[in-house]
C-alpha cells in the first residue's frame, strides 16, 4: 500500500508485482509507473487523504460515487497503457467512510463485483467490523472479519485482503463445499 510514486517504484524494483495505490492512481506518474513496469494495479477509493479522510465524510450516493470513481480510474489506467486484466478494484472500506457507508458498500458487493474487474474485499479487523460486532480490540475481530469476507466472496469478491489467513481459508473451504 502506498500513495507515493517513489515508494511504489522502490517496491517494484525490489520485486513487488502489484501496486496498491490508496489514492486510486490519481497521480499520472503512478499510472505511468504501473504501465511502464507492467505490474498489477489495485485501484482503491479514498475520500480526501489520510490526514482528513475521516473528518465528516459525505456522499450523495456512496455506492454510485465509488463505482464511478473506480471505473473512471480503470479507464485512465488502460488509457495510459495498463492491461485491463492487470486491474483490481477496491472500494476502500474505512478510508473516508462512515459505518453506514461501509455497510452500504458491503451490501453492494455483488454490484461492484459485476463491473468487469476483480473486486477486493478488505474489511478485515476494520473499525466497521468492531462497530458491527461490538468488539473493540482489532485483533479480536477475527470471527466478524471472517464472516464478512466469506459473505463478500459469496457475492463475487475475488480478492480478500485479510489478517487472519488460516481461519479465513477454513471458512472459505466450508462455504465452497456447501455451494457445490
Amino acid at each position: 500500500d502506498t500513495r507515493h510514486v517513489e515508494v511504489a517504484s522502490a517496491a517494484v524494483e525490489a520485486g513487488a508485482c502489484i501496486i496498491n495505490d490508496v489514492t486510486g492512481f490519481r497521480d499520472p506518474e503512478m499510472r505511468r509507473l504501473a504501465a511502464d513496469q507492467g505490474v498489477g494495479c489495485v485501484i482503491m477509493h479514498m475520500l480526501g487523504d489520510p490526514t482528513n479522510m475521516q473528518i465528516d465524510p459525505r456522499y450523495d450516493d456512496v455506492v454510485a460515487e465509488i463505482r464511478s470513481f473506480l471505473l473512471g480510474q480503470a479507464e485512465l489506467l488502460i488509457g495510459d497503457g495498463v492491461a485491463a486484466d492487470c486491474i483490481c478494484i477496491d472500494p476502500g472500506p474505512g478510508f473516508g467512510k462512515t459505518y453506514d457507508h461501509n455497510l452500504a458498500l458491503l451490501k453492494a458487493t455483488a454490484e461492484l463485483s459485476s463491473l468487469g474487474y476483480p473486486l477486493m474485499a478488505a474489511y478485515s479487523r476494520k473499525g466497521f467490523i468492531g462497530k458491527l460486532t461490538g468488539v473493540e480490540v482489532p485483533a479480536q475481530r477475527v470471527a466478524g472479519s471472517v464472516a464478512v469476507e466469506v459473505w463478500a466472496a459469496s457475492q463475487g469478491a475475488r480478492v480478500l485482503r485479510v489478517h487472519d489467513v488460516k481461519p479465513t481459508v477454513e471458512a472459505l473451504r466450508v462455504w465452497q463445499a456447501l455451494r457445490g
Side-chain angles (χ1 to χ4, degrees), residues 26-132:
R26 289 180 175 114
D27 182 345
E29 291 298 316
M30 188 72 86
R31 294 194 304 271
R32 210 168 353 269
L33 171 68
D36 290 348
Q37 296 299 316
V39 296
C41 300
V42 177
I43 302 169
M44 191 189 92
H45 177 274
M46 173 174 53
L47 185 66
D49 65 50
T51 64
N52 63 22
M53 67 184 181
Q54 288 307 116
I55 301 172
D56 196 27
R58 294 176 188 254
Y59 301 87
D60 290 326
D61 181 335
V62 68
V63 174
E65 290 174 42
I66 290 174
R67 177 182 60 237
S68 178
F69 171 81
L70 295 171
L71 289 173
Q73 295 308 108
E75 288 177 20
L76 286 175
L77 279 166
I78 292 167
D80 285 343
V82 173
D85 63 356
C86 289
I87 296 173
C88 176
I89 57 174
D90 175 1
F95 286 79
K97 283 111 183 148
T98 65
Y99 170 85
D100 289 333
H101 297 144
N102 289 318
L103 188 58
L105 289 167
L106 184 59
K107 288 179 178 181
T109 298
E111 175 186 344
L112 296 171
S113 296
S114 70
L115 298 178
Y117 302 97
L119 177 70
M120 177 182 287
Y123 291 91
S124 181
R125 296 190 186 182
K126 297 275 175 119
F128 164 76
I129 302 291
K131 188 166 183 180
L132 191 61

Side-chain angles (χ1 to χ4, degrees), residues 139-152:
Q140 295 175 359
R141 297 178 185 152
V142 177
S145 295
V146 169
V148 166
E149 297 292 345
V150 170
W151 189 86

